């Protein structure tokens, strides 16, 4: 494999990671907002209230996704920073011991001890913390935790997903609102499910049907609860 291919592979993997996070976020947005809309519509709410519910669901969902993602990725960033600080301190206190540790890692990976020691020595001379971060802690610059980007990405993908059933609810005539929302939602989820599965190298059809089945179930349960509340007149 040509030398730059590894960098391309790294970027492709990072890209797939972002794609899948985006698809999952959009999935959440579509499923939760369409279920909300179908549930409130089944309770015979007015058209204005149905659309309002959709808007509230979009904003609340996007904010909660962003908050959850920010908090979880930030705690990952915190533990990465703490591990790097500890590594920096160990290097300052026991450089020779750290060099032996790195040598052992390369020997376990298959290098003969002499070569491993030379590789460790040269890499540490070039960038001691970087080589330990990469080869001992498994931290890579391309996959570093970025809480703000992750929070923004999940809020945007959720909102983008939620916009679809919301647009259908806003535009569809009242008596076609539920079937139109369900049809458009399931079609979009089939497409996203296939995209996400094939991006990860899995069977597109299986991925699509799995997402569509569980989403249809979520909408059906919410519609049933909505119809029940509508009947008892709450
Ligand atoms: Zn170390």
């Amino acid at each position: 494999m040509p030398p730059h291919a590894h960098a391309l592979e790294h970027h492709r993997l990072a890209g797939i990671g972002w794609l899948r996070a985006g698809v999952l976020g959009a999935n959440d947005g579509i499923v939760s907002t369409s279920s909300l809309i179908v549930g409130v519509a089944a309770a015979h709410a007015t058209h204005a209230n149905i659309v309002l519910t959709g808007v509230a669901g979009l904003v609340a969902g996007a904010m909660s996704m962003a908050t959850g993602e920010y908090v979880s990725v930030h705690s990952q960033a915190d533990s990465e920073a703490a591990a790097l600080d500890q590594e920096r301190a160990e290097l300052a206190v026991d450089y020779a011991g750290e060099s032996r540790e790195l040598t052992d890692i390369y020997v376990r990976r298959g290098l003969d001890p002499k070569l491993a020691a030379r590789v460790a020595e040269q890499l540490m001379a070039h960038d001691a913390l970087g080589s330990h971060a990469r080869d001992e802690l498994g931290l890579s610059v391309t996959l570093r935790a970025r809480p703000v980007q992750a929070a923004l990405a999940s809020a945007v993908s959720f909102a983008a997903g939620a916009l679809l059933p919301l647009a259908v609810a806003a535009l569809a005539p009242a008596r076609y609102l539920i079937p139109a929302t369900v049809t458009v939602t399931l079609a979009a989820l089939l497409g996203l499910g296939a995209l996400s599965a094939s991006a990860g190298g899995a069977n597109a059809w299986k991925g699509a049907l799995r997402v569509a089945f569980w989403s249809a179930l979520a909408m059906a349960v919410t519609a049933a609860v909505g119809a029940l509340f509508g009947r008892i007149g709450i």
Side-chain angles (χ1 to χ4, degrees), residues 87 98 101 132 136:
E87 199 58 33
E98 288 295 311
E101 190 180 40
H132 278 260
E136 183 191 341

Side-chain angles (χ1 to χ4, degrees), residues 87 90-91 97-99 101-102 105 132-133 136-137:
E87 199 58 33
E90 285 169 5
L91 281 164
E98 288 295 311
S99 176
E101 190 180 40
L102 201 57
I105 290 169
H132 278 260
E136 183 191 341
L137 303 176

